[in-house]
Amino acid sequence: MKQAIAGEKLIELPNVSAGELQALYEQGKQGLLTCPSCQEQVKLYVGIHEQPHFYHSAASSHCEGPTLKAALDQEDTQFLEHGGYRLPQIRAISSDKQEAVPFLKARTIAGAPAFRLEKKESGISKEPYFIELEEQGIRLDPEQKKAVTCTDGPLLVLSGAGSGKTRVLTVRTAYMLSVKQIDPGSIMLVTFTSKAAKEMKQRLLNYPSINASLVSRIVSGTFHSIFYKLLIFHEPEKWRRELLIKWEWEKERVLKQAGRELGLDEKQFAYDQALGQIGLWKNSLKFPDDIKPADDFEKSCQHLYKYYEEYKLQSGKYDFDDMLVGCYVLFQSRPDLLQKYQQRFQYFLVDEFQDINKVQYELIKLLSKKNKNICAVGDDDQSIYSFRGSDPHYILNFSLDFPGAKMIKLTENYRSSHEIVSAANRIIKRNTKRMDKIMKAQHDKGPSPVLFYPFDEELEATMIVSDIQEKIAKGANPGAFAILYRTHSMSRAVFERLASSNLPFIIENDAESFYQRRVVRGMLAFLRLSLQPHDAKAASDILSSLFLRQNVLQDLKAQTILQDCDFIDAFQYVKTGHAFQEKKLKTLPGLIRQLKTLSPLAALEVIEKDLGYQEFIKKRGNEASTEKGSDDIRDLRVAAKRFSTVKKFMEHADHMVAMVQEMKQLSKRYTNAIQLTTVHRAKGLEFNCVYVLAAVDGSLPHDFALESYRKGNLDPLEEERRLFYVAATRAKHELYLSILQTRRGKTAYPSRFLKM
């Protein structure tokens, strides 16, 4: 069904621009669209596999569709008869003249070679241990068996996506205990999460001749948990648990004290990013005096880093990063102690080796130097944590640091379908700094990956949720789906669409509402003050963007009493000692009051240009970082387009902030729900069906990587390609990649990673 009535106009879908489909979709939800034939309400369907079309919202409707085809076939027809009235035909929803953008059909990624399942026999399959394993349903391919039985000397197990690395690690450990009769107390099994360590222990108990007593004697856990225990044992007074700085807010409180000395604005300086930068430096064994700042932000971070370290030294406190650095320093200063542990630990198994950072790498090198029995399991193609200090070169250069090292490649993918694995291979092979390997799928259960083309972020969310609803209606479980994105801010539209549906979904506990982001919150404060002139919090939140200190709020409160006015008018009475600034403040009341009378989009433009928010963002100094304030503004404009009034927009923003908090609580109880997560957080997980948002240049790859590439640095772009590869290989059966036509209001271009 291609026609519907909106108001007094007939909508013809073939002539509607893709940019107007979301507005039509919203009108249908509000009951504002009717069928030209039967006058009953209709809605607009916008999904992935079918073209947009209208359908009757009432399941009982017996209407067979419009009966106006003859009239529509007349090209010069200007009016149509409907309900006794002559209605004008239109080609678009809005009255604005704009170039029509067609709705593009989804297509599949072609070019995969024919699927061929190779069966390999292994000479060691007759070994009694493996026969016993197979009787329990635990089968290993030839390369996996080699990785299990090669227990002496340095070994790099290059484990591609979905290749069963956890099984290899656990079977290898069990083999060492039961067949090689190795003392469990001489084995150190290192993982990157406590969950992974627990899972491995549980798996070990399922293998032949393994009991809880043996497993309990293995020194296993995360880097932090293992080395923290060593510190507590040797320096108990220095590393008392009550001295640990556990929470981010505790760290920020210390940094803010130092920030006051630099004149940093507490509400606008990115202290969370500063903490991340300090952590990166420390985990790379770079201390305050070693830093050579690249820009003003790093210069500020260096000052904060130095103050933070001095504070901990004077107070005797420490944080999680200090646990590893402290152990490294302890071994360097106590050769006797290092030798003791080199003798005790004779075998090292390190999981997720591609995620290792400098201090972790140096610790393992120190401890394994004597016996050299280290098994590193990882995949250079999945090294995606450079912001935490990881580097694929620790895998690429493994044989240089561990002479005589053997390498075994696990190239059988047991997770994803042949079509997905083939596409992933073609994506990652273009990286220049990687180990050569080609993954081979072990099943062909699933269609080719799908590329679909939403007009913008809003339509992208609508299309994905519609597709999930269709699949669930056909029997799929909500827990089979994941929606992945590059950064948290990209999840706004799909979160909003899911929040208005009845579908269960999960978000990460540390996810923040888009409307709570620092820059977004600052802009919304102007709108809130326009609607609520007596709101002291809103007045406080706009001070920084007006280049006023927070103590001006007390002056504003005084003026509201002295002048008997609200906070908006109070600004014209503020004295700063700068004539130009005071002159500007006198113009504020008129500008702020008019905001509530404008459309949200127009109001944001006034805030940006006339109220100086654009200038404030430029001077804020984070436009060179991955989290640009200007990007948040563009995202906010996209969100505002859906609303006709500032009041409705603000009500929506407040509702979404509350919904995020509610969903965090509900997420704890959901066991079968759609998962919304960043690609970074999805590593190690798998889902039947995966949707990847915004597979376009500027998103994947991120803008900062493209900028680095333009400056001659290829490394960030290669990491972005690895991130894309990780996203694609989370999917077991179905993979959907969204190719936005516009992103943040500008024309978007398909990710260069899709040029296979």
Side-chain angles (χ1 to χ4, degrees):
M1 181 172 169
K2 296 296 182 181
Q3 299 90 25
I5 302 296
E8 296 183 350
K9 296 179 180 178
L10 180 76
I11 307 297
E12 301 175 64
L13 273 184
N15 297 323
V16 172
S17 172
E20 297 173 312
L21 290 174
Q22 183 62 36
L24 264 181
Y25 173 82
E26 299 284 351
Q27 288 183 14
K29 286 184 65 177
Q30 296 166 18
L32 301 178
L33 301 178
T34 57
C35 172
S37 297
C38 65
Q39 289 83 55
E40 291 184 4
Q41 289 184 2
V42 294
K43 294 181 179 179
L44 177 67
Y45 167 87
V46 189
I48 293 176
H49 295 284
E50 297 181 35
Q51 288 289 90
H53 59 268
F54 296 111
Y55 65 96
H56 286 80
S57 54
S60 60
S61 175
H62 298 290
C63 177
E64 297 182 357
T67 58
L68 304 170
K69 186 176 183 305
L72 291 173
D73 287 340
Q74 299 176 22
E75 292 185 3
D76 60 345
T77 301
Q78 299 297 313
F79 296 91
L80 291 173
E81 293 292 333
H82 173 70
Y85 296 93
R86 299 175 74 228
L87 302 181
Q89 295 187 70
I90 61 168
R91 294 182 176 271
I93 303 164
S94 68
S95 58
D96 297 332
K97 291 184 179 179
Q98 52 181 299
E99 185 178 347
V101 179
F103 179 85
L104 300 180
K105 292 182 179 180
R107 68 179 182 86
T108 57
I109 296 179
F115 176 66
R116 185 179 301 163
L117 183 61
E118 298 179 10
K119 290 189 176 182
K120 300 179 181 179
E121 297 296 331
S122 172
I124 58 174
S125 62
K126 296 179 181 179
E127 187 173 332
Y129 182 76
F130 292 105
I131 293 175
E132 193 173 357
L133 282 179
E134 289 186 8
E135 288 175 350
Q136 295 184 13
I138 302 170
R139 295 180 175 81
L140 285 81
D141 64 46
E143 297 306 307
Q144 289 176 330
K145 289 175 182 175
K146 288 179 185 177
V148 166
T149 55
C150 183
T151 57
D152 297 322
L155 172 67
L156 175 63
V157 180
L158 205 59
S159 55
S163 62
K165 69 174 181 61
T166 302
R167 171 168 289 191
V168 167
L169 265 174
T170 51
V171 173
R172 188 179 199 273
T173 306
Y175 182 84
M176 292 167 67
L177 295 173
S178 59
V179 178
K180 293 289 187 176
Q181 295 291 300
I182 292 171
D183 177 11
S186 69
I187 299 174
M188 182 183 287
L189 173 58
V190 188
T191 64
F192 268 79
T193 65
S194 300
K195 181 182 177 182
K198 184 178 179 181
E199 180 186 346
M200 286 190 188
K201 284 185 176 181
Q202 290 173 337
R203 283 202 190 191
L204 280 169
L205 295 174
N206 296 323
Y207 298 141
S209 305
I210 301 298
N211 56 51
S213 177
L214 280 174
V215 173
S216 66
R217 291 183 56 206
I218 299 171
V219 176
S220 64
T222 65
F223 275 99
H224 285 83
S225 67
I226 291 173
F227 291 106
Y228 184 43
K229 288 174 183 176
L230 296 182
L231 289 174
I232 291 177
F233 182 77
H234 292 287
E235 297 178 335
E237 285 302 311
K238 182 177 179 181
W239 301 96
R240 299 200 311 272
R241 294 183 186 276
E242 63 267 24
L243 297 175
L244 173 64
I245 303 175
K246 295 180 180 179
W247 311 109
E248 295 298 297
W249 65 264
E250 292 180 89
K251 298 178 186 178
E252 284 197 20
R253 184 175 61 187
V254 178
L255 294 193
K256 286 177 180 178
Q257 180 61 42
R260 294 186 190 105
E261 297 178 9
L262 290 179
L264 300 177
D265 190 302
E266 287 192 14
K267 288 200 171 186
Q268 296 303 329
F269 183 76
Y271 281 100
D272 52 346
Q273 292 180 36
L275 280 171
Q277 181 62 64
I278 292 170
L280 174 60
W281 282 332
K282 190 149 196 176
N283 286 310
S284 301
L285 294 176
K286 292 181 180 179
F287 302 102
D289 292 337
D290 303 327
I291 308 301
K292 295 180 180 179
D295 50 40
D296 288 340
F297 178 72
E298 286 196 4
K299 190 173 181 179
S300 297
C301 289
Q302 182 187 29
H303 175 86
L304 300 177
Y305 186 13
K306 189 171 185 178
Y307 182 96
Y308 183 55
E309 292 303 300
E310 289 174 352
Y311 165 80
K312 288 187 295 180
L313 186 64
Q314 293 172 7
S315 64
K317 294 190 174 184
Y318 63 94
D319 60 23
F320 286 101
D321 292 332
D322 292 320
M323 294 176 183
L324 300 184
V325 174
C327 214
Y328 177 77
V329 171
L330 179 65
F331 286 151
Q332 293 282 26
S333 61
R334 293 278 307 276
D336 60 318
L337 203 59
L338 174 60
Q339 187 177 14
K340 174 185 175 182
Y341 284 108
Q342 285 175 335
Q343 291 173 346
R344 176 186 169 179
F345 294 111
Q346 299 178 28
Y347 295 89
F348 297 87
L349 293 87
V350 186
D351 189 19
E352 303 285 9
F353 200 73
Q354 76 280 343
D355 296 337
I356 208 167
N357 60 35
K358 176 74 172 176
V359 65
Q360 292 165 342
Y361 191 62
E362 293 300 326
L363 281 168
I364 289 296
K365 278 175 61 180
L366 284 174
L367 288 171
S368 63
K369 189 174 183 180
K370 178 178 174 61
N371 294 294
K372 299 181 174 60
N373 295 323
I374 174 173
C375 174
V377 181
D379 182 11
D380 56 312
D381 287 336
Q382 297 185 70
S383 179
I384 58 174
Y385 293 110
S386 63
F387 62 89
R388 293 199 315 222
S390 69
D391 190 328
H393 285 91
Y394 293 131
I395 285 182
L396 300 177
N397 298 332
F398 188 82
S399 60
L400 299 178
D401 288 325
F402 298 94
K406 298 176 183 177
M407 181 171 66
I408 296 172
K409 297 181 182 180
L410 306 182
T411 57
E412 308 296 328
N413 184 302
Y414 297 94
R415 174 191 299 147
S416 306
S417 70
H418 169 67
E419 295 283 350
I420 292 172
V421 172
S422 176
N425 282 336
R426 284 181 286 164
I427 289 169
I428 199 62
K429 74 176 182 180
R430 289 180 176 267
N431 265 9
T432 59
K433 298 176 182 178
R434 65 182 293 262
M435 293 281 194
D436 183 46
K437 58 183 174 297
I438 299 175
M439 299 303 296
K440 290 166 289 205
Q442 296 301 295
H443 74 85
D444 194 26
K445 300 173 183 175
S448 299
V450 174
L451 305 177
F452 65 105
Y453 302 87
F455 175 77
D456 61 8
E457 298 90 333
E458 296 294 340
L459 202 63
E460 174 184 60
T462 297
M463 293 173 73
I464 289 173
V465 172
S466 293
D467 196 62
I468 293 175
Q469 286 173 325
E470 289 175 47
K471 288 178 167 62
I472 290 177
K474 293 177 181 178
N477 290 318
F481 302 94
I483 302 172
L484 309 184
Y485 33 85
R486 176 63 180 81
T487 59
H488 278 302
S489 62
M490 292 171 57
S491 66
R492 175 199 57 80
V494 75
F495 174 88
E496 293 177 1
R497 212 68 76 249
L498 283 169
S500 64
S501 73
N502 292 320
L503 299 177
F505 66 99
I506 296 172
I507 61 172
E508 296 163 13
N509 283 331
D510 62 348
E512 103 182 307
S513 169
F514 169 77
Y515 301 102
Q516 287 290 87
R517 293 177 66 83
R518 188 178 288 106
V519 169
V520 174
R521 193 170 65 242
M523 291 196 80
L524 294 183
F526 282 98
L527 301 182
R528 194 178 306 282
L529 188 60
S530 179
L531 293 168
Q532 303 169 21
H534 294 281
D535 189 333
K537 178 70 167 56
S540 172
D541 286 345
I542 72 172
L543 293 178
S544 296
S545 61
L546 297 173
F547 302 100
L548 297 172
R549 293 187 176 276
Q550 284 300 310
N551 58 17
V552 171
L553 181 62
Q554 299 306 317
D555 189 11
L556 286 172
K557 288 179 178 179
Q559 293 299 337
T560 61
I561 298 172
L562 292 172
Q563 305 297 332
D564 190 22
C565 64
D566 56 33
F567 280 105
I568 296 178
D569 283 336
F571 275 101
Q572 63 188 307
Y573 302 110
V574 170
K575 302 298 180 185
T576 65
H578 303 286
F580 175 79
Q581 191 176 34
E582 290 178 5
K583 182 179 178 181
K584 184 178 178 181
L585 290 175
K586 290 185 184 302
T587 67
L588 283 186
L591 291 171
I592 293 177
R593 287 195 190 282
Q594 73 161 329
L595 295 177
K596 65 181 180 183
T597 67
L598 305 174
S599 71
L601 204 56
L604 292 178
E605 187 171 352
V606 170
I607 295 168
E608 247 192 290
K609 298 177 180 178
D610 300 335
L611 288 167
Y613 209 81
Q614 195 174 63
E615 180 186 4
F616 163 68
I617 291 299
K618 289 179 181 177
K619 291 185 177 180
R620 188 166 170 262
N622 76 329
E623 288 303 280
S625 72
T626 58
E627 298 286 339
K628 293 184 179 181
S630 55
D631 288 343
D632 282 344
I633 292 176
R634 285 190 278 270
D635 286 335
L636 187 60
R637 288 199 209 109
V638 174
K641 282 171 60 178
R642 294 173 54 207
F643 300 90
S644 58
T645 68
V646 167
K647 186 174 184 294
K648 288 180 180 179
F649 182 44
M650 290 303 296
E651 287 173 349
H652 170 77
D654 290 342
H655 179 58
M656 287 301 110
V657 170
M659 279 297 296
V660 167
Q661 296 305 315
E662 184 178 341
M663 288 311 305
K664 286 181 182 180
Q665 295 302 315
L666 289 174
S667 294
K668 297 174 183 177
R669 301 200 295 269
Y670 282 145
T671 56
N672 184 20
I674 303 160
Q675 186 150 332
L676 270 66
T677 184
T678 62
V679 180
H680 285 96
R681 289 289 182 86
K683 193 169 81 68
L685 304 178
E686 58 183 40
F687 306 89
N688 282 341
C689 182
V690 169
Y691 302 85
V692 181
L693 302 187
V696 295
D697 276 358
S699 174
L700 261 175
H702 195 284
D703 278 321
F704 87 90
L706 296 175
E707 184 62 30
S708 296
Y709 177 66
R710 285 189 283 268
K711 294 177 180 178
N713 183 5
L714 186 63
D715 289 348
L717 191 64
E718 294 223 334
E719 177 160 330
E720 291 291 299
R721 187 179 277 109
R722 294 194 292 271
L723 194 63
F724 200 111
Y725 174 78
V726 167
T729 53
R730 298 312 93 199
K732 295 165 67 175
H733 302 296
E734 294 182 83
L735 174 64
Y736 293 87
L737 304 175
S738 167
I739 317 296
L740 294 172
Q741 294 185 65
T742 63
R743 177 174 176 262
R744 291 173 170 157
K746 295 184 177 180
T747 300
Y749 300 94
S751 172
R752 60 193 62 203
F753 300 153
L754 292 171
K755 296 176 182 177
M756 304 175 187

